[in-house]
Each structure stands twice: as C-alpha cells, then as structure tokens.
C-alpha cells in the first residue's frame, strides 16, 4: 500500500538554499583621506608646548614696538629698580599719566626677579661684569620672555581643545586644533610679548571656564557645586583682562550675558512646574551675577593695590636725581608726553594727581574718548576696514581659489 502524502508531514527535512555571497564592497581610495577613523588622536598638551616654545626660540624679529616698550621694559624697570643704567620708560608708564596697568606685566616682572636672584646667587666667576650693569648680565635670559609667553599660549591651546571637545566632540576638536596651530598669524604673534597675545590667552581660558561651570551646573542643578568655582575663576580672569586691556569688554560682555541667559533658562530637573522653573532660574541667575560681581570687585581692588605699589616705585625713580629717567627734559622716549601736549592740567585731569590712587582703565578711557588722544595718531573713515582690508582680502582669496 502506498503511503499518501500528508500535509504537514515533516519526516523529510526541507531543502535550504543559501544565497550566493555578495562581492566585497571596495572603498574608494579618496574616502580614506576624509575618514575620521584614519586620523590620529588629538595632539596632547606636550605637543602644544613643543610647538609654542620652538616658535618662541626661532623668532628673531620684532614687528611692533609695543612688544618691548609696553611689557618687557616696564617689568625690567620694576625688577631692577635699584639700577641706574636702564633706559627711560615710555610716557604711558610715567606716574603723571598712569595709562598702563602693572597686572599685564606681572608674569614678566616675576621672571626678571627670578633671573636677578639667580645671577646674585651664582659665583662671580660666571658673571664677571655683575658689578657693571645688570643689563649686560641677562643676555643669556634674552629669549625667556617669549618662552614664558609661549607657555601661556600653550595653556590657551589646551583650553581651546577642551572647549571644542565639550561642544562638538573629539573629532571636530582635532580639526580645530590643527587649524588653530597651523594659523600663521597665531603662530607668529602668540609667542610674542604683546598685550594682544595675553588678551587672547585670557579670553580663550575664560570661555572654557564658563563652559565648564555651565556643564557642572546643568548636571547638578546646584549653585554650591563645582560650577561656582569654575565661574569664580572665570570672573576673576575677566576682571583681569578688562582691567589690563579695557577693549576686552567687547568680547567678554556678550559671553557673560550669554552665560547668564543660559543659567536663567536652564530648567531644574526636580520639578516640572513652570512657576518653580522660573523662580529657580531667577535665583540661579542672581547668584551667578552677584558672585561674579563680588569676585570681579575683589580682583579689581587687588589690581589697584598692585598699581599703587608699581607707580610708587616709578615715582621714586623719577624723584631720584641719579636715575636715568628722572630728568624729563632730556631727549628720550619720555619726552613724547611733551610732544603731544600732555603736560600740566591735561595730565593731572585724568590721573587726578601724582599722589592719587591710579586706575589705569579710567585713565585710558579718558584719554581715548574724552581727550581724543588717539586721534593725534591718525583717523580713518568709518568704511576703512571694509573697503581697504576686508574687501581686498576676500577678493584675493576668491581669486586664489
């Protein structure tokens, strides 16, 4: 008897067919050039330091007088106040004008002070001219101010790397740092002892500190956490930047306003009620604002005390008949004040008096906006930057591409 086929009979296993293997997909060679996985990890802090110090040691030119006259020379004056063979200061640093703050030259002053003590501790055989003039002794320390500025630039490089990593990730940070370190302008200017270089370093570090403080606040939702420490450090550095260079307020004021708005609009994670969120935001914003103002006020007071001490030393040098810059009528750099008519009542009006408390930012604003001193160095029309700088530069870049 034949066995009938039964539907569903699974006595015989079903035949399985395997699909033919797909051919391997070949990656175009051009995609390897843009693949992020083929790129190495972001450069570390030591690489930043190596590039900045190497650039500082290789620089042998000076393209702006302020690289020496506004930073290195005043710091050398303070460190070697007992010497009689150093050149006179520029007119901005004289006690009757008080346009510059000593906080901007404090790192160079400490550097020169350490060098002075090193020279004094070394045996006389190593420095046979020590009794003649301190300036002839420190030729070996000539590149050290730029090396110090390179170290400060390295700190800003590391802060920028962390900032971009927090915002956009490590791959974008890698690209950003290669563009930043390869910029010929920053490579050429950051290791120089310019006030603009120090201002750039401070602004980058301040942006990173405020970002890190906002991150800690967004996670913990507490004003008593580490976010307060980051924001206090950012407020102190902001006060230093604005006090030393008042033009820094154009960069830092919008940044501080943005952080304040983010602090107010960040909702708490513990409550979903709109009223609680608004009260929490206003409280957090007021705490951020009051804490920042308090820290900034204390920082400014410390800077004023430093300027009182610095201008007191310079005033004693001016009153010393044996000092090289005590005679203001002698031909030299100090005579620029007389050249531009900054003697008498005009000088006293913005510095109050020789014995008053120096506040260089107010003196700077008075000179440039009230007395219109900057107009004596030249005035350009309002469209000069667009028609003479941006438009030719952009057209040249478009034509080159």
């Amino acid at each position: 008897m034949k066995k009938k086929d039964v539907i569903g009979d699974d006595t015989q296993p079903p035949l399985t067919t395997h699909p033919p293997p797909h051919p391997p997909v070949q990656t175009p060679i051009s995609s390897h050039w843009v693949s992020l996985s083929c790129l190495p990890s972001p450069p570390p802090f030591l690489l930043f330091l190596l590039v900045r110090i190497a650039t500082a040691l290789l620089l042998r030119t000076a393209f702006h007088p302020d690289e020496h006259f506004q930073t290195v020379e005043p710091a050398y004056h303070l460190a070697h106040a007992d010497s009689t063979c150093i050149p006179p200061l520029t007119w901005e640093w004289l006690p009757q004008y008080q346009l510059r703050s000593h906080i901007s030259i404090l790192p160079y002053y400490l550097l020169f002070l350490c060098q002075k003590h090193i020279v004094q501790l070394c045996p006389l055989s190593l420095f046979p001219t020590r009794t003649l003039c301190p300036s002839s002794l420190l030729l070996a320390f000539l590149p050290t101010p730029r090396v110090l500025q390179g170290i400060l630039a390295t700190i800003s490089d590391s802060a920028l790397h962390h900032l971009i990593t927090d915002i956009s990730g490590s791959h974008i940070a890698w690209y950003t740092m290669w563009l930043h370190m390869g910029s010929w302008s920053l490579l050429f200017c950051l290791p120089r002892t310019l006030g603009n270089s120090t201002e750039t370093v401070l602004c980058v570090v301040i942006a990173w500190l405020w970002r890190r403080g906002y991150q800690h606040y967004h996670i913990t939702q507490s004003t008593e956490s580490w976010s307060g420490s980051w924001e206090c450090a950012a407020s102190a550095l902001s006060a230093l930047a604005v006090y030393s260079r008042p033009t820094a307020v154009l960069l830092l004021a919008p940044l501080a306003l943005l952080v304040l708005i983010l602090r107010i609009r960040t909702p708490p994670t513990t409550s979903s009620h709109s009223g609680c969120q608004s009260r929490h935001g206003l409280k957090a914003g007021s705490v951020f604002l009051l804490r920042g103002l308090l820290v900034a006020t204390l920082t400014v007071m410390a800077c004023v005390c430093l300027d009182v001490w610095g201008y007191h030393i310079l005033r004693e040098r001016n009153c010393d008949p044996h000092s090289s810059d005590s005679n203001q009528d002698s031909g030299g750099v100090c005579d620029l004040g007389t050249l531009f008519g900054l003697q008498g009542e005009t000088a006293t009006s913005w510095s109050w008096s020789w014995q008053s408390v120096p506040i260089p930012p107010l003196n700077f604003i008075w000179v440039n906006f009230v007395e219109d001193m900057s107009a004596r160095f030249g005035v350009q029309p309002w469209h000069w930057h667009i028609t003479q700088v941006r438009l030719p530069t952009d057209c040249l870049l478009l034509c080159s591409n």
Side-chain angles (χ1 to χ4, degrees):
M1 181 182 291
K2 294 183 179 181
K3 186 176 179 181
K4 296 182 179 180
D5 295 334
V6 180
I7 298 176
D9 186 9
D10 54 355
T11 56
Q12 294 182 357
L15 297 177
T16 58
T17 59
H18 298 282
H22 294 284
V25 179
Q26 296 182 356
T27 305
I29 298 177
S30 59
S31 64
H32 289 287
W33 295 99
V34 297
S35 177
L36 295 177
S37 60
C38 299
L39 300 176
S41 59
F45 178 83
L46 293 179
L47 181 58
F48 300 154
L49 183 64
L50 179 63
V51 172
R52 295 305 182 190
I53 291 182
T55 308
L57 294 176
L58 292 175
L59 284 176
R60 289 293 183 269
T61 59
F63 73 103
H64 203 286
D66 288 349
E67 184 178 354
H68 305 285
F69 297 148
Q70 301 297 344
T71 53
V72 178
E73 280 195 358
Y76 194 84
H77 268 259
L78 287 180
H80 299 272
D82 53 348
S83 177
T84 59
C85 59
I86 51 180
L89 285 171
T90 54
W91 64 273
E92 297 100 327
W93 286 94
L94 294 181
Q96 60 265 41
Y97 307 121
Q98 301 175 357
L99 295 183
R100 304 295 180 182
S101 174
H102 290 80
I103 192 63
S104 59
I105 63 171
L106 183 60
Y108 309 109
Y109 165 73
L110 297 177
L111 175 65
F112 290 142
L113 200 62
C114 292
Q115 293 176 356
K116 180 180 179 182
H117 290 302
I118 289 174
V119 171
Q120 292 176 353
L121 292 176
C122 289
L124 188 61
S125 59
L126 297 178
F127 300 97
T129 61
R130 180 163 54 192
T131 57
L132 297 179
C133 181
S135 60
S136 62
L137 298 175
L138 300 179
L139 293 178
F141 303 116
L142 189 60
T144 52
R146 287 182 176 177
V147 172
L148 177 61
Q149 186 64 35
I151 295 174
L152 296 178
T154 305
I155 297 175
S156 70
D157 296 335
S158 181
L160 179 62
H161 175 255
H162 288 292
L163 176 63
I164 304 301
T165 303
D166 295 340
I167 296 175
S168 303
S170 60
H171 297 305
I172 303 300
W174 189 90
Y175 281 120
T176 303
M177 293 313 300
W178 273 103
L179 294 174
H180 175 74
M181 300 297 293
S183 172
W184 67 269
S185 179
L186 297 177
L187 197 66
F188 187 72
C189 295
L190 274 185
R192 296 184 180 274
T193 55
L194 291 167
N196 308 73
S197 303
T198 307
E199 180 184 0
T200 303
V201 170
L202 288 176
C203 289
V204 173
V205 174
I206 289 167
W208 172 67
L209 289 175
W210 264 331
R211 169 69 183 181
R212 186 55 60 92
Y214 175 73
Q215 278 185 331
H216 279 268
Y217 171 75
H218 186 71
I219 295 173
T220 60
Q221 293 290 331
S222 175
T223 57
E224 304 298 332
S225 62
W226 278 99
S227 61
S229 302
W230 296 105
E231 291 168 356
C232 287
S235 300
L237 291 181
S238 300
L240 289 179
V242 175
Y243 188 87
S244 59
R245 291 184 63 85
T247 53
V249 72
L250 300 176
L251 295 174
L252 298 178
L255 185 60
L257 182 61
L258 176 62
V259 176
L260 178 61
I261 294 174
L262 291 176
R263 175 62 67 89
I264 294 175
R265 297 184 62 180
T266 301
T269 56
T270 57
S271 178
S272 60
H273 194 268
S274 60
C276 295
Q277 292 181 4
S278 61
R279 288 194 299 269
H280 184 275
L282 291 176
K283 178 182 177 182
S286 61
V287 169
F288 169 78
L289 187 60
L290 293 177
R291 179 189 292 161
L293 291 177
L294 178 61
V295 173
T297 302
L298 295 177
T299 306
V300 169
M301 291 175 62
C303 294
V304 170
C305 294
L306 180 64
D307 284 328
V308 169
W309 168 78
Y311 280 112
H312 175 71
I313 293 179
L314 296 180
R315 189 179 301 114
E316 288 183 349
R317 286 187 54 82
N318 287 338
C319 296
D320 186 6
H322 301 288
S323 177
S324 61
D325 57 347
S326 59
N327 187 7
Q328 302 297 327
D329 295 331
S330 61
V333 186
C334 294
D335 220 17
L336 284 177
T338 307
L339 178 63
F340 288 105
L342 298 178
Q343 297 288 349
E345 297 180 357
T346 305
T348 309
S349 62
W350 69 62
S351 64
W352 298 348
S353 67
W354 279 39
Q355 304 297 327
S356 64
V357 177
I359 306 179
L362 297 182
N363 301 337
F364 178 84
I365 294 173
W366 182 274
V367 168
N368 288 279
F369 294 98
V370 179
E371 296 290 340
D372 203 13
M373 173 63 189
S374 59
R376 304 186 183 186
F377 295 94
V379 179
Q380 301 292 345
W382 63 270
H383 57 80
W384 179 85
H385 185 77
I386 300 175
T387 58
Q388 303 296 324
V389 179
R390 293 306 311 169
L391 190 59
T393 304
D394 295 340
C395 291
L396 181 63
L397 291 176
L398 290 176
C399 294
S400 62
N401 293 331

